[in-house]
Amino acid sequence: MLVAPKNTAVSQAAATLAQVLAVPLVPVFNHADAAHARQILGACYAGGIRAFEFTNRGDNALAVFRELHCFAQQHCPGLQLGIGTIYTAAEAEDFLAAGAAFVVQPVTTAAVAAVCQRHDVLWVPGALTPNEVYHATELGAPLVKLFPGSAVGPDYLRALRGPLPKVKIMVTGGVEPTAASLGEWLGAGANCLGLGSQLFKQVTDSQALATRVAELLAFAQTHKP
């Protein structure tokens, strides 16, 4: 079992986890154009988001992430900017060097777990079945991504909570940017929610996105477990 080194002070990973759970919506976003990505990040931050997952998709994802990190440092104090869709230790190392505050996987790999634990960075592996969720916790995951949520639905999470009541779970994939969807997943036992492409569709400008995010976040914070 991989575990983080013991320390009497609050670890960086634990502090990031506390922030993710306190503001329980995490936008999940990718775009090849850095200027557009900065605009989206800024709008989400203005709406109250404090953890944002940029996904490692496309040949220039690392370059865009570096620009986002610089932007966040200058304009988004307190934001935890993480990287998603990480498969290998080498990818994790590259994005941690670029400033990633947390690492999200669609799967669970011991190699990425070890990198995150060595750097004291929050590791969020992906899992679906009870066996996969349990395996992730055995490797030391403090938060597990239930993915894809669209394949199972809130009733599945509710059933999963029977044998695994204490695992911190973030649902991604299938979470709609509506009060009804957020309420169903949070009511089923999700500790936080990843909001993907649906959040950004049919949004005309940054102010509209910030307003939409603020409304959803206000609902989530009053309905989280």
Side-chain angles (χ1 to χ4, degrees):
M1 176 177 174
L2 297 170
V3 295
K6 292 183 178 180
N7 196 319
T8 55
V10 176
S11 73
Q12 176 180 303
T16 301
L17 174 61
Q19 187 163 326
V20 170
L21 297 178
V23 185
L25 296 185
V26 181
V28 180
F29 180 77
N30 173 272
H31 202 279
D33 181 72
H36 181 65
R38 289 194 301 269
Q39 181 183 13
I40 293 294
L41 176 59
C44 288
Y45 181 82
I49 290 298
R50 291 301 178 264
F52 187 98
E53 177 189 336
F54 186 77
T55 57
N56 178 29
R57 298 175 184 173
D59 294 338
N60 69 334
L62 182 57
V64 174
F65 184 87
R66 289 192 179 108
E67 292 200 38
L68 280 182
H69 180 254
C70 290
F71 174 83
Q73 284 190 311
Q74 295 175 20
H75 302 286
C76 307
L79 177 74
Q80 303 295 329
L81 178 62
I83 184 65
T85 319
I86 295 296
Y87 290 95
T88 69
E91 290 173 338
E93 291 282 7
D94 285 343
F95 281 95
L96 290 178
F102 59 93
V103 173
V104 183
Q105 294 192 268
V107 295
T108 297
T109 65
V112 173
V115 169
C116 293
Q117 290 163 2
R118 185 167 63 251
H119 289 278
D120 188 21
V121 168
L122 177 62
W123 171 56
V124 187
L128 187 62
T129 68
N131 188 62
E132 291 169 352
V133 173
Y134 180 75
H135 175 63
T137 63
E138 283 291 284
L139 289 175
L143 178 65
V144 179
K145 179 176 79 167
L146 187 68
F147 175 81
S150 58
V152 289
D155 284 344
Y156 177 84
L157 175 57
R158 191 174 286 108
L160 193 68
R161 279 303 188 196
L164 297 167
K166 296 182 179 180
V167 179
K168 298 290 189 298
I169 290 179
M170 176 174 75
V171 179
T172 302
V175 181
E176 299 293 328
T178 65
S181 182
L182 301 187
E184 287 179 357
W185 283 111
L186 293 170
N191 298 99
C192 55
L193 301 170
L195 289 172
S197 59
Q198 293 297 321
L199 175 63
F200 312 106
K201 289 183 177 179
Q202 299 178 344
V203 175
T204 56
D205 54 43
S206 295
Q207 183 56 54
L209 178 57
T211 299
R212 186 182 200 187
V213 166
E215 292 170 350
L216 293 171
L217 187 56
F219 178 88
Q221 288 181 310
T222 58
H223 290 77
K224 64 183 180 180

